[in-house]
Amino acid sequence: NAGVTQTPKFQVLKTGQSMTLQCAQDMNHNSMYWYRQDPGMGLRLIYYSASEGTTDKGEVPNGYNVSRLNKREFSLRLESAAPSQTSVYFCASRTSGAQETQYFGPGTRLLVL
Amino acid sequence: QKEVEQNSGPLSVPEGAIASLNCTYSDRGSQSFFWYRQYSGKSPELIMFIYSNGDKEDGRFTAQLNKASQYVSLLIRDSQPSDSATYLCAVNRFFDTASKLTFGTGTRLQVTL
């Protein structure tokens, strides 16, 4: 049981390049989330998916797209990377029920030059 | 006003002392409250959650919630150097079909020998 996994761990892009961050969970959770974390800003929600086949914008969605490929996988795409997207990206999935809890993946460090 | 506010610290406590971490939130509709610990370069990991007013204890950790004052705290008894990390407060609210966490920017705790 690996929990939440993310690939890659680290990536360097040039401005204008595109890439997809991958996330998968093996806990059979319905809801999945993408956050970015920047110094002094805390964790901010980019997009989330309440269930397979649905996605919704979070607090900072501009410049990103997402795909909920199936129940396990939720990817984040940067179509044209900008230096402002330099950040650490975390994927999370959530249990359901009365004691719902979010569990985080190890993160992807992205540097856009 | 930020939705979730925490003192950024650092909060420095000697080994063996009680560390007290505080968090206030603005949304009275918030339903559940979480404390995450984040070591430098790592992902957030859940320490505790609390739903009801009062105290909740788990080992050396006690979470306290006062919904009337919109205040959540985390007490760490017998602080250890391994407790040195950033502690993130998060509040949860259910919107439409999904619940969303809003995070504070975190308090950095330093436990000194």
Side-chain angles (χ1 to χ4, degrees):
Chain A
N1 187 339
V4 181
T5 57
Q6 291 182 236
T7 55
K9 286 186 170 56
F10 181 71
Q11 184 73 47
V12 179
L13 290 178
K14 294 181 180 178
T15 297
Q17 287 185 317
S18 63
M19 78 163 295
T20 300
L21 281 65
Q22 306 286 353
C23 174
Q25 52 93 8
D26 61 3
M27 297 177 282
N28 202 36
H29 292 166
N30 286 323
S31 298
M32 297 184 73
Y33 304 80
W34 275 106
Y35 294 89
R36 61 178 289 174
Q37 187 174 38
D38 304 289
M41 302 291 289
L43 281 157
R44 293 182 292 170
L45 183 64
I46 305 171
Y47 270 93
Y48 66 98
S49 170
S51 61
E52 185 179 354
T54 68
T55 60
D56 283 289
K57 296 178 180 179
E59 182 185 353
V60 288
N62 291 345
Y64 305 95
N65 285 302
V66 290
S67 294
R68 185 71 183 269
L69 303 170
N70 46 56
K71 192 171 186 178
R72 290 188 63 250
E73 299 172 288
F74 187 36
S75 62
L76 178 72
R77 183 161 178 83
L78 287 71
E79 291 291 351
S80 179
S84 61
Q85 294 177 304
T86 293
S87 188
V88 180
Y89 292 85
F90 290 104
C91 176
S93 68
R94 179 176 68 85
T95 63
S96 57
Q99 296 184 355
E100 54 183 75
T101 306
Q102 283 193 21
Y103 294 93
F104 286 82
T108 294
R109 293 183 175 275
L110 177 65
L111 175 62
V112 183
L113 302 175
Chain B
Q1 182 187 9
K2 290 182 182 177
E3 290 189 55
V4 180
E5 297 214 47
Q6 296 180 255
N7 189 319
S8 61
L11 173 66
S12 185
V13 299
E15 184 178 5
I18 296 175
S20 178
L21 303 160
N22 304 315
C23 171
T24 58
Y25 61 94
S26 61
D27 186 353
R28 286 193 174 274
S30 299
Q31 297 158 327
S32 49
F33 307 86
F34 300 80
W35 283 100
Y36 283 83
R37 177 176 62 199
Q38 187 175 26
Y39 292 112
S40 181
K42 301 295 186 183
S43 60
E45 55 178 328
L46 180 69
I47 299 175
M48 291 190 69
F49 56 84
I50 186 168
Y51 295 84
S52 305
N53 279 328
D55 295 359
K56 180 182 178 183
E57 187 175 318
D58 183 0
R60 296 187 296 114
F61 299 96
T62 299
Q64 299 174 318
L65 174 61
N66 184 325
K67 288 186 178 181
S69 300
Q70 296 174 245
Y71 178 90
V72 192
S73 65
L74 179 70
L75 301 178
I76 307 175
R77 290 181 298 282
D78 189 22
S79 295
Q80 301 297 310
S82 59
D83 295 327
S84 298
T86 297
Y87 289 80
L88 305 174
C89 172
V91 302
N92 189 55
R93 190 171 183 192
F94 197 81
F95 292 92
D96 295 327
T97 58
S99 67
K100 288 189 250 184
L101 282 180
T102 301
F103 285 84
T105 54
T107 297
R108 188 156 65 93
L109 174 66
Q110 292 178 338
V111 180
T112 58
L113 296 172

